[in-house]
Amino acid sequence: MSIGQQVMRVEDILIIAPYSELAKDAVQLRKKTDFKFSLILSESEIPYQQQVNPSTRVVISRGGTAKSLRELLELPVVDVPVTPSDILQAISAVIKCGHKKIAVITPTNILSQTNHTLELSDEVQLIFETDVGGQIADTVKRLIQNEKVEAIIGDRVATQIALQHQVHGHLLKSGEESLLMALETATNVLRAQTRERAQIKEMQSILNVINDGVLTIDPNGIIKVNNNSAKRIFNFAEEDIVGKKYSDCFEDPRLLKVIEEKKEERNLLHTTDNGKKIVVNQIPIYIDSVFQGSVGIYQEISKIQNLELNIRKRLSDRGLIAKNTFDDFVTMNSQMKKVISEARLYAKSEGTVLIYGETGTGKELFAQSIHNASKRHKGPFVSVNCAALNENLLESELFGYVEGAFTGALKGGKSGLFELAHGGSLFLDEIGEISPQFQAKLLRVLQEKEVRRIGADRIIPIDVRIICATNKSLYDLVEDGNFREDLYYRLSTLELDLIPLRYRKEDIIPLSVSFLKTEMEREKRNLSWGDTDVFFPLLNHEWLGNAR
């Protein structure tokens, strides 16, 4: 496939010919090659902006016309070059007309800046002058008056001025070869544009898949790229902020300072104008030690927490779920029904629950039921018996630890139960057994809602509802100085007192029947009885182990 065949549309390339001969050459070239382009002659009085098709991607022109087009259009403009052959042909034509002192005047985009005189012979003198200031008319007049030139070779403007002063003017034309070179250059520009568009489209697609907001800022603080997440986070959904100054879109002085200082800033907490809490990471871009702008990444804290919750859920696929609900309770006792009703109300709250009850009265059953009836029911339910672990082991289990924190620490560290319970509930059984030293650590976690693994320096925020249970009176422990008063009031926001089985004997037979049926299903055996009188002897037992 040739270069020309890759230009698919006529409107992609526009040739604006400053003189009719160039337009004729373009038409002939279009017939002989497979280049596709549109063509207009610049002699029209209609402004260029109105003549250019909106679909045009590259413009080709020459001389002063090309320079003007660069100022008027936001499109790449390719110059039709002037070859040495073109210059020699023009000089030869003027000499044949009998002129001896000849000036070649061109804009800087035809010949690079040059001002010198060349003696071809004793009779023929050439003056080359490049117009830098854009005042070709003044240059022509000066050469005619001061240098007494007999002929002017240049663009259309220069030759017209020469003729007005009765001096021979010869148009410096670009031949077919020059026009062909310009078309090849324009085609290469089109290819580069296509590659750039594809890269931008690919990058934009990638950015729009990312949940984090992304903004890129150039060295002047102008926003160059933004993704859909950034629009959503900052509520720019209906507004295009590309091309605007960063300082016009964001007023927070800390964000502006980060941009101004051109330094890396990570994990900066920020609240947007629409109330969203985000984490900002601003990364400067330096190329060869020169600042080229920066990239800002904006993460919604709520999404980070949800992601962390999902990760924790996957990590805690070890049965950290609450299996029981209020429907699992078997009771005929009016007081027990009242306790269950209270627990149902507590489930709707976020307050800490303290459950009192003897061993076997169903404290964890209540804890699980409260969790499953709460808005946290989709989160994890984590249970730990505080009396079963010594202080150091309990601390490592609840708070977790990093690798090397102590002898025997697992490689890679371990997540604590507070972390695993994030977004759910943590049941602390036998809370009255923890030491005063550990009580202080637990109080801090409840107050700050954050934990730090043993041996770590990073704080981990947590969102956990605490449900505690004890068979001791925490109030009495406070009175005796064995339990912190501030922790007691922190834990006892909502209280439940469970009734021992011996005080609700009407539940003994229903519970026995329920448990017996469960065992029959597990053992795949079938027992039958005439009536429940067969269970009456159970009523005479004290049942110190309660329902368990």
Side-chain angles (χ1 to χ4, degrees):
M1 180 181 290
S2 70
I3 295 174
Q5 286 176 322
Q6 295 192 33
V7 181
M8 301 303 295
R9 303 183 306 168
V10 171
E11 63 268 25
D12 283 340
I13 296 177
L14 170 65
I15 296 178
I16 299 181
Y19 55 91
S20 58
E21 289 88 343
L22 185 64
K24 292 178 182 178
D25 289 342
V27 172
Q28 291 300 317
L29 193 61
R30 185 162 53 189
K31 293 178 180 179
K32 294 190 295 183
T33 68
D34 49 10
F35 280 109
K36 295 179 181 178
F37 56 84
S38 53
L39 173 68
I40 60 175
L41 189 62
S42 67
E43 294 175 350
S44 171
E45 295 183 358
I46 302 174
Y48 293 126
Q49 297 95 320
Q50 298 179 22
Q51 297 183 67
V52 177
N53 190 307
S55 299
T56 298
R57 293 167 58 189
V58 183
V59 174
I60 295 176
S61 193
R62 204 198 78 151
T65 303
K67 291 184 68 175
S68 299
L69 289 170
R70 285 193 178 90
E71 298 174 359
L72 295 172
L73 305 177
E74 294 183 358
L75 290 171
V77 177
V78 174
D79 286 283
V80 178
V82 174
T83 65
S85 176
D86 296 330
I87 297 175
L88 290 175
Q89 287 181 17
I91 294 172
S92 177
V94 173
I95 292 175
K96 287 179 179 180
C97 292
H99 302 294
K100 306 299 183 182
K101 195 168 186 178
I102 306 165
V104 181
I105 306 172
T106 65
T108 53
N109 60 330
I110 290 183
L111 288 178
S112 59
Q113 186 173 351
T114 178
N115 291 288
H116 66 274
T117 301
L118 179 65
E119 301 286 346
L120 289 184
S121 66
D122 293 339
E123 296 181 348
V124 178
Q125 184 184 55
L126 294 177
I127 300 174
F128 289 88
E129 186 151 342
T130 301
D131 180 70
V132 178
Q135 302 297 325
I136 287 184
D138 294 338
T139 302
V140 172
K141 291 176 185 177
R142 175 173 54 80
L143 290 172
I144 292 174
Q145 294 172 0
N146 299 340
E147 303 295 336
K148 307 300 181 182
V149 297
E150 302 171 8
I152 298 291
I153 298 175
D155 65 3
R156 183 161 51 89
V157 174
T159 55
Q160 287 176 349
I161 298 298
L163 293 173
Q164 290 173 6
H165 288 77
Q166 287 77 47
V167 173
H168 180 75
H170 186 90
L171 184 64
L172 180 58
K173 301 176 183 178
S174 294
E176 186 178 284
E177 180 185 354
S178 301
L179 189 56
L180 183 62
M181 291 169 59
L183 282 166
E184 290 174 345
T185 302
T187 303
N188 290 333
V189 171
L190 281 176
R191 287 198 191 113
Q193 285 182 341
T194 301
R195 286 195 297 268
E196 184 179 4
R197 285 182 175 183
Q199 290 173 350
I200 292 174
K201 188 70 175 178
E202 180 181 359
M203 182 59 65
Q204 196 68 51
S205 299
I206 293 171
L207 290 177
N208 286 333
V209 171
I210 299 174
N211 288 325
D212 299 336
V214 179
L215 292 176
T216 63
I217 300 102
D218 73 5
N220 299 315
I222 304 298
I223 298 173
K224 304 301 292 183
V225 174
N226 71 133
N227 65 347
N228 290 338
S229 294
K231 293 179 181 179
R232 173 178 49 76
I233 291 172
F234 295 107
N235 201 26
F236 290 139
E238 303 301 326
E239 181 181 4
D240 187 6
I241 61 173
V242 172
K244 293 188 176 182
K245 288 190 70 66
Y246 188 86
S247 56
D248 293 339
C249 300
F250 302 92
E251 298 179 355
D252 190 299
R254 294 182 304 165
L255 293 183
L256 298 177
K257 185 178 179 182
V258 169
I259 299 296
E260 292 169 0
E261 291 183 348
K262 304 174 183 177
K263 295 179 181 178
E264 182 174 310
E265 182 69 44
R266 291 185 178 272
N267 301 323
L268 174 68
L269 296 179
H270 172 68
T271 302
T272 65
D273 293 339
N274 52 357
K276 293 180 180 177
K277 295 185 182 298
I278 61 173
V279 176
V280 179
N281 291 281
Q282 200 75 32
I283 304 165
I285 302 171
Y286 285 92
I287 299 177
D288 296 330
S289 301
V290 178
F291 179 70
Q292 299 293 337
S294 62
V295 176
I297 301 173
Y298 310 89
Q299 300 170 292
E300 288 186 79
I301 290 179
S302 61
K303 289 189 175 294
I304 296 174
Q305 290 175 335
N306 290 336
L307 178 61
E308 188 176 6
L309 175 59
N310 291 333
I311 293 173
R312 289 176 178 176
K313 280 183 178 179
R314 289 195 293 270
L315 291 174
S316 62
D317 281 343
R318 298 176 296 184
L320 301 183
I321 57 174
K323 299 177 182 179
N324 298 109
T325 69
F326 287 117
D327 294 335
D328 296 323
F329 283 96
V330 177
T331 183
M332 304 294 291
N333 182 271
S334 59
Q335 289 299 314
M336 192 64 174
K337 289 180 180 180
K338 183 178 179 182
V339 173
I340 294 172
S341 296
E342 285 183 335
R344 287 183 183 274
L345 292 175
Y346 292 172
K348 298 177 182 180
S349 168
E350 280 288 291
T352 303
V353 181
L354 179 58
I355 304 173
Y356 288 103
E358 297 179 1
T359 298
T361 50
K363 296 188 289 295
E364 183 162 358
L365 179 63
F366 268 90
Q368 291 186 14
S369 300
I370 290 172
H371 170 80
N372 278 331
S374 72
K375 65 180 183 181
R376 295 174 176 268
H377 65 280
K378 292 184 179 179
F381 177 84
V382 181
S383 174
V384 60
N385 189 319
C386 299
L389 305 172
N390 63 44
E391 182 177 335
N392 292 334
L393 190 54
L394 181 61
E395 182 177 2
S396 66
E397 282 294 309
L398 286 176
F399 301 155
Y401 55 82
V402 297
E403 183 176 339
F406 51 82
T407 303
L410 295 175
K411 185 177 181 179
K414 181 182 177 182
S415 301
L417 297 182
F418 270 108
E419 289 183 64
L420 295 179
H422 180 75
S425 304
L426 177 61
F427 177 54
L428 301 175
D429 200 5
E430 305 297 348
I431 190 68
E433 302 298 328
I434 62 176
S435 68
Q437 292 80 7
F438 192 76
Q439 290 173 27
K441 297 176 182 178
L442 179 60
L443 177 63
R444 178 172 178 78
V445 172
L446 298 182
Q447 289 175 334
E448 303 299 330
K449 298 186 184 303
E450 58 188 26
V451 296
R452 180 163 51 195
R453 292 183 183 181
I454 299 172
D457 55 6
R458 184 172 70 94
I459 296 297
I460 301 173
I462 56 169
D463 174 24
V464 176
R465 185 184 191 180
I466 302 297
I467 303 175
C468 299
T470 179
N471 57 9
K472 296 181 179 181
S473 170
L474 292 190
Y475 183 80
D476 290 342
L477 291 177
V478 171
E479 290 291 303
D480 296 338
N482 293 322
F483 203 88
R484 293 179 63 105
E485 184 177 14
D486 47 6
L487 179 59
Y488 165 68
Y489 286 115
R490 174 72 66 171
L491 297 177
S492 61
T493 305
L494 303 169
E495 293 187 355
L496 284 176
D497 285 304
L498 306 190
I499 304 169
L501 189 57
R502 60 185 176 275
Y503 296 142
R504 51 184 182 103
K505 288 195 172 185
E506 64 266 47
D507 287 342
I508 291 176
I509 292 178
L511 282 170
S512 299
V513 172
S514 176
F515 294 152
L516 184 56
K517 288 180 178 179
T518 300
E519 287 300 306
M520 286 164 51
E521 290 178 6
R522 188 172 68 85
E523 295 289 340
K524 294 183 173 56
R525 297 179 63 185
N526 186 30
L527 299 178
S528 60
W529 51 88
D531 55 51
T532 56
D533 292 350
V534 70
F535 296 101
F536 280 174
L538 298 176
L539 301 177
N540 298 323
H541 191 67
E542 292 187 17
W543 299 109
L544 299 179
N546 288 296
R548 182 180 294 161

